[in-house]
Amino acid sequence: MEAKKDEEYTVDGTVDLRGRPVLSSTTGKWKACAFLVGYESFERMSFYGIASNLVNYLTTQLHEDTVSSVRNVNNWSGVVWMTPIFGAYIADAYLGRYWTFTVASLIYVMGMVLLTMAVSLKIFKPIACTSTGICNKASTSQIAFFYTALYIIAIGAGGTKPNISTFGADQFDDFNPHEKQLKVSFFNWWMFSAFLGSLFATSGLVYIQENLGWGLGYGIPTIGLTVSLIIFYVGTRIYRHKPRNNGRSPARDVIDVIIFAWVNRRLKLPRQASELYELDAQHYVANGKRQVLHSPNFRMLDKAAIAKEGSSKPSCTVTQVEKTKLICGMIMIWFTLLIPSTIWAQINTLFVKQGTTLDRHIGSKFEVPAASLGSFVTLSMLLSVPFYDRYFVPFMRLKTGNPRGITLLQRLGIGCVIQIIAIVIAYVVELHRMHVIKVENVTGPKDIVPMSIFWLLPQYSLIGIADVFNSIGLLEFFYDQSPEDMQSLGTTFFTSTIGVGNFLNSFLITMVDKITRNTNGEKSWIGNNLNQSHLDYYYGFLMVLATLNLGAFLWASNVYVYKKENSEVVQVEEKMLVEL
């Protein structure tokens, strides 16, 4: 009976908040994640409720000029997606995911409260424009208060974004076959909840902000975020936690491997990997770690695991070397996913500008906002996720025997192909728009092309479907392939891909505009007057760029070696649990 009871403990070494082993039957799994998904939905609602309409608030309420407002939005968005690097590092090296998230989420809510105050109270807003159209710019103190609130949110996001999803994934025991099967669907349904929040933000909150008041538009997600945090804390007793590193930075192993590999660069590698320095499986079990098996890639790093005779300082272990190889492999894949992130960035930039030139009327009175077509991206995601999880994965599982149906890199590759198809369609639609412009002679900057905006729906919808493969697959790939003690830091590869992709999009647009602008400075591929520009050329450029990048991705996928952990560690762990 005692052995049976002990077998109920999780095998992956997870503990409760006090560091005690946890029972598999009463903790974790989807019942724990149920307390987490609410926060993710409201966080996405809050973020996209701000980001999707921030440029409008800056120009209409704070009376900033267009160039300044666009620059400020880009700067803030970039900080939001890059600060997770620091939040993940703190979680992996010091506080753990739960406490890092706890502190950061409170900072996030504080920023939302301050932002709601900034858009609601008259003292924090400039005087409204006069009837003659004269607008007073915001005072220095008003601007300072507003941007302080924004960047407090960015700091909070740095601690919540990389840790809440990984904390959710921690609720499933990788060494329990049943729970590992459940985990296959986790990231799909996790992102599904995020998409729900995004959909409400881009459709409902934007309308509320512009028609019912900015204070109400920001106050609703603030209240929702607060309630979701309370629900999160209610579930604390059933959460599973990865043991903390007690102050040792997981990046130290990577640095040590690089140093030892350089020091031993003149040594000859042994013929057998078994001759490299490694500890036995029992050592990893006793310290709550997992042994990673040797892989044939990045062989130059193996020199860090050569034991030098007469050296008082031990070499790195094979597991330490393999952790470094995993990081190198993920960086290689990361570079090939920047172009897909750049293509995704079109939905909030050029696709919207393209839509403003088209006929947006439904009937005689109602006019569709150009930016509202972005809701179809989220809607296509919401429809695709259940289909992918309930039908595509089981079908492919029967064909391939892979629990995920297809490999993680195959999933990302399919997403890249769908994105290329979306850009091809965008190119064809733009060619048709240019043809209509020529036939109808509508060349003025404010002329509306007699062509329905719903011609753009296919490219929006395909981008959404591609995102089911790319965004979810990207998050799962970087979590799954990260070293065990660097999984929060690993997920920042996901957020930084989005951030750098947006910066890259801005860079490409700026450079293309400068290179293609005529000497008189009036026209370019992407001019202010899209009816006299050549957006089709730019889409063609992206199409070529994405195709070349797909070739690079296929090469990187072919040479990438997936993480392989020693099954003996699991067997030893199970044996120790039975003997306790």
Side-chain angles (χ1 to χ4, degrees):
M1 291 296 292
E2 190 69 24
K4 182 177 180 180
K5 179 180 179 181
D6 287 328
E7 287 177 349
E8 294 178 357
Y9 285 105
T10 56
V11 185
D12 62 355
T14 48
V15 296
D16 65 10
L17 197 57
R18 297 181 179 180
R20 300 171 300 188
V22 293
L23 293 173
S24 175
S25 58
T26 58
T27 61
K29 302 184 286 296
W30 276 112
K31 62 184 177 184
C33 291
F35 293 95
L36 310 180
V37 293
Y39 177 85
E40 182 67 10
S41 292
F42 279 104
E43 192 279 329
R44 290 301 178 100
M45 182 196 304
S46 301
F47 173 71
Y48 285 107
I50 299 170
S52 61
N53 220 18
L54 181 57
V55 69
N56 189 28
Y57 183 85
L58 295 179
T59 53
T60 62
Q61 304 299 312
L62 295 187
H63 312 310
E64 292 186 2
D65 61 81
T66 301
V67 174
S68 296
S69 62
V70 170
R71 182 175 61 246
N72 289 331
V73 171
N74 284 333
N75 289 341
W76 179 73
S77 297
V79 172
V80 167
W81 289 112
M82 298 306 288
T83 50
I85 294 175
F86 302 101
Y89 176 81
I90 292 171
D92 284 338
Y94 301 103
L95 298 182
R97 299 195 236 285
Y98 179 88
W99 289 113
T100 303
F101 171 81
T102 294
V103 174
S105 61
L106 295 176
I107 295 174
Y108 200 126
V109 170
M110 181 176 68
M112 287 297 298
V113 171
L114 293 176
L115 188 65
T116 304
M117 292 172 58
V119 303
S120 302
L121 303 180
K122 290 184 179 180
I123 190 175
F124 297 123
K125 297 190 297 182
I127 300 173
C129 298
T130 64
S131 57
T132 58
I134 299 176
C135 300
N136 296 315
K137 287 192 174 184
S139 66
T140 302
S141 60
Q142 290 169 338
I143 293 174
F145 188 86
F146 181 81
Y147 280 105
T148 297
L150 273 183
Y151 280 93
I152 287 175
I153 292 172
I155 293 171
T160 61
K161 284 184 179 295
N163 289 307
I164 185 65
S165 59
T166 50
F167 185 65
D170 289 345
Q171 306 308 309
F172 300 91
D173 188 345
D174 281 335
F175 296 146
N176 182 309
H178 173 66
E179 292 190 25
K180 189 171 185 178
Q181 183 69 28
L182 293 175
K183 190 175 181 179
V184 169
S185 300
F186 168 75
F187 285 103
N188 293 329
W189 292 105
W190 180 264
M191 293 299 289
F192 183 87
S193 67
F195 296 154
L196 285 175
S198 303
L199 180 63
F200 183 75
T202 54
S203 56
L205 284 184
V206 170
Y207 177 85
I208 291 172
Q209 289 164 1
E210 295 189 2
N211 295 277
L212 300 180
W214 292 91
L216 182 62
Y218 287 160
I220 290 174
T222 300
I223 295 172
L225 203 62
T226 303
V227 172
S228 67
L229 272 181
I230 295 173
I231 295 174
F232 171 82
Y233 296 130
V234 169
T236 297
R237 65 181 182 83
I238 64 171
Y239 294 150
R240 299 174 183 176
H241 306 262
K242 295 286 187 181
R244 282 186 278 173
N245 290 315
N246 296 322
R248 176 180 169 83
S249 169
R252 179 66 181 273
D253 286 342
V254 176
I255 297 173
D256 286 347
V257 167
I258 294 173
I259 292 175
F260 273 109
W262 173 256
V263 170
N264 296 346
R265 66 188 183 280
R266 300 186 185 280
L267 298 181
K268 186 177 181 180
L269 283 171
R271 293 184 178 181
Q272 301 295 327
S274 58
E275 297 178 39
L276 297 172
Y277 179 68
E278 180 59 298
L279 303 170
D280 58 32
Q282 186 69 39
H283 170 84
Y284 292 99
V285 176
N287 289 275
K289 303 294 183 181
R290 300 181 193 175
Q291 181 182 4
V292 185
L293 299 179
H294 180 266
S295 63
N297 59 329
F298 301 110
R299 288 299 307 276
M300 72 290 294
L301 295 176
D302 284 343
K303 292 188 176 183
I306 297 177
K308 294 179 66 176
E309 294 183 6
S311 175
S312 59
K313 192 172 184 180
S315 301
C316 297
T317 65
V318 169
T319 294
Q320 288 175 305
V321 172
E322 290 305 313
K323 288 180 180 180
T324 307
K325 289 182 181 181
L326 287 171
I327 297 298
C328 293
M330 290 194 300
I331 291 174
M332 177 177 65
I333 298 297
W334 182 86
F335 273 109
T336 65
L337 294 171
L338 294 180
I339 296 300
S341 294
T342 300
I343 293 175
W344 188 88
Q346 307 310 312
I347 63 176
N348 292 322
T349 53
L350 291 183
F351 284 7
V352 176
K353 291 290 291 180
Q354 192 180 19
T356 59
T357 68
L358 302 177
D359 181 9
R360 295 178 279 135
H361 285 89
I362 297 179
S364 59
K365 296 183 178 179
F366 185 76
E367 188 176 58
V368 178
S372 68
L373 260 67
S375 299
F376 286 93
V377 174
T378 306
L379 190 60
S380 63
M381 293 177 184
L382 290 172
L383 295 175
S384 299
V385 167
F387 176 82
Y388 181 90
D389 190 72
R390 298 302 183 189
Y391 298 101
F392 180 80
V393 171
F395 175 77
M396 293 305 299
R397 188 183 294 146
L398 292 174
K399 299 290 184 180
T400 65
N402 189 313
R404 293 186 173 92
I406 54 177
T407 67
L408 294 171
L409 291 176
Q410 286 172 342
R411 180 174 186 170
L412 294 174
I414 292 173
C416 292
V417 172
I418 297 175
Q419 274 195 341
I420 293 175
I421 296 173
I423 286 296
V424 170
I425 291 176
Y427 172 75
V428 172
V429 170
E430 179 61 14
L431 283 178
H432 180 66
R433 191 184 75 90
M434 298 298 292
H435 174 72
V436 174
I437 289 172
K438 184 177 181 181
V439 172
E440 301 293 336
N441 193 30
V442 284
T443 57
K446 295 185 178 180
D447 289 347
I448 299 300
V449 181
M451 172 180 166
S452 174
I453 192 174
F454 293 106
W455 276 80
L456 303 182
L457 273 185
Q459 64 200 56
Y460 273 101
S461 300
L462 281 174
I463 289 291
I465 295 172
D467 221 32
V468 172
F469 289 87
N470 273 348
S471 286
I472 303 175
L474 199 61
L475 178 60
E476 185 176 4
F477 173 79
F478 286 130
Y479 174 84
D480 183 80
Q481 293 300 296
S482 296
E484 178 193 11
D485 51 0
M486 297 179 68
Q487 286 176 319
S488 288
L489 195 60
T491 56
T492 62
F493 278 86
F494 167 71
T495 60
S496 61
T497 299
I498 299 173
V500 175
N502 278 275
F503 286 130
L504 181 59
N505 179 50
S506 297
F507 172 77
L508 288 176
I509 289 177
T510 301
M511 295 306 298
V512 167
D513 178 57
K514 288 184 177 181
I515 293 171
T516 62
R517 186 178 296 276
N518 291 346
T519 54
N520 58 16
E522 293 180 355
K523 298 179 181 179
S524 75
W525 286 5
I526 314 169
N528 289 328
N529 181 4
L530 287 186
N531 291 339
Q532 289 189 340
S533 300
H534 271 291
L535 202 55
D536 54 331
Y537 290 174
Y538 185 70
Y539 286 158
F541 169 68
L542 286 181
M543 188 169 56
V544 173
L545 204 60
T547 303
L548 293 175
N549 183 77
L550 178 62
F553 173 81
L554 293 175
W555 173 83
S557 300
N558 187 55
V559 301
Y560 183 82
V561 178
Y562 286 93
K563 177 171 66 174
K564 186 188 297 183
E565 293 174 336
N566 192 353
S567 59
E568 290 183 21
V569 174
V570 184
Q571 297 171 1
V572 173
E573 286 177 337
E574 293 174 339
K575 182 178 179 181
M576 288 180 65
L577 286 172
V578 172
E579 293 175 350
L580 283 175

